[in-house]
Amino acid sequence: MILGPHYSNNQRRFSTLKENDWKVVLRKSAKHIRIRLKQRTLSGAHSAGNLGTNPVEHYLEIAYTKLLGGEWEWKEKFTLLEQMIRLIDHEISAEVEKYKTPKSKALRIEYTDITDDFYIPDTTQVTVDEEKTFKEQCEALKNAAAGDTELEMIYEAICEGMKRADIAELLGKTPKQFDKLKEKLVNKVKKSQQS
């Protein structure tokens, strides 16, 4: 392994960790990946066929290898879990961008699931106004969360349909602490709409 420019600084911080700290961080990071990729691992950029291995293991290995090797800096203001999640999210986004390139599309093998024809399509109609309102609300939430790692995680988890207790556990917070963060996000949305 080639050592990166942040190796010595990262190793100094790693030396203060206990084995149990690593186990907790790896478990929570794996859970974050499963939530983030929910229903996206069957096909596309995050499928085992595209990545060559289990998607959770793939992103987890990249994250801790880059941190251990010093390729990615473990910044002072972040805990190990926060830094791992930031790195994992970066790698997931990078994989999506790589997947969208023309060369990647030319080499891709497309699979068709014939069972899709057997499912009854959703016939509920959404009006144009309802769809526009929904998109505006989503955009306002996304903009309010931008730049704040915890709020971005809450936004993503809410979009995935996670329950309050699960989101709190993902963040390493109590449900009441999660409620305060959610309230912070809502207040940011309200302030942005007033200006």
Side-chain angles (χ1 to χ4, degrees), residues 10 72 104 132 152 161:
N10 288 1
W72 189 279
S104 172
K132 181 181 175 190
E152 287 175 344

Side-chain angles (χ1 to χ4, degrees), residues 127-141:
T127 67
V128 176
D129 289 340
E130 288 172 329
E131 187 174 342
K132 181 181 175 190
T133 302
F134 176 75
K135 285 181 180 178
E136 288 171 352
Q137 290 171 342
C138 287
E139 194 63 31
L141 275 172

Side-chain angles (χ1 to χ4, degrees), residues 10 12 15 68 70 89 94 102-104 136 183 186:
N10 288 1
R12 180 181 50 79
S15 67
L68 284 173
D89 288 346
K103 183 178 178 183
S104 172
E136 288 171 352
E183 188 175 89
V186 170

Side-chain angles (χ1 to χ4, degrees), residues 88-105:
I88 288 165
D89 288 346
H90 171 77
E91 291 300 324
I92 288 172
S93 298
E95 190 62 41
V96 169
E97 289 304 313
K98 188 168 75 173
Y99 187 77
K100 290 179 180 178
T101 64
K103 183 178 178 183
S104 172
K105 287 181 181 176

Side-chain angles (χ1 to χ4, degrees), residues 6-163:
H6 307 289
Y7 178 77
S8 59
N9 183 49
N10 288 1
Q11 288 304 311
R12 180 181 50 79
R13 295 195 66 193
F14 285 132
S15 67
T16 64
L17 295 174
K18 296 182 176 95
E19 184 179 344
N20 195 46
D21 295 335
W22 261 111
K23 287 179 182 177
V24 170
V25 166
L26 290 174
R27 186 174 41 81
K28 287 187 176 183
S29 296
K31 185 172 183 175
H32 172 76
I33 296 168
R34 280 192 290 279
I35 290 165
R36 183 88 197 271
L37 298 182
K38 187 176 183 182
Q39 302 298 324
R40 296 183 188 143
T41 57
L42 301 175
S43 64
H46 309 299
S47 67
N50 183 55
L51 299 174
T53 185
N54 176 301
V56 174
E57 292 172 8
H58 174 77
Y59 291 115
L60 199 57
E61 183 180 351
I62 287 175
Y64 72 74
T65 302
K66 285 189 174 185
L67 278 177
L68 284 173
E71 188 178 332
W72 189 279
E73 181 184 10
W74 180 2
K75 296 185 178 170
E76 294 290 331
K77 63 182 178 177
F78 298 114
T79 64
L80 178 58
L81 177 60
E82 291 170 334
Q83 191 64 58
M84 284 283 288
I85 288 173
R86 291 180 76 239
L87 181 50
I88 288 165
D89 288 346
H90 171 77
E91 291 300 324
I92 288 172
S93 298
E95 190 62 41
V96 169
E97 289 304 313
K98 188 168 75 173
Y99 187 77
K100 290 179 180 178
T101 64
K103 183 178 178 183
S104 172
K105 287 181 181 176
L107 298 173
R108 192 173 312 135
I109 298 171
E110 296 291 331
Y111 296 97
T112 306
D113 186 358
I114 60 168
T115 60
D116 288 346
D117 296 334
F118 297 111
Y119 296 109
I120 300 169
D122 185 9
T123 57
T124 50
Q125 296 293 321
V126 178
T127 67
V128 176
D129 289 340
E130 288 172 329
E131 187 174 342
K132 181 181 175 190
T133 302
F134 176 75
K135 285 181 180 178
E136 288 171 352
Q137 290 171 342
C138 287
E139 194 63 31
L141 275 172
K142 187 176 182 181
N143 292 337
D148 186 329
T149 307
E150 287 183 327
L151 294 183
E152 287 175 344
M153 286 174 63
I154 289 171
Y155 169 75
E156 297 249 357
I158 290 171
C159 287
E160 294 292 339
M162 287 181 63
K163 293 188 173 23

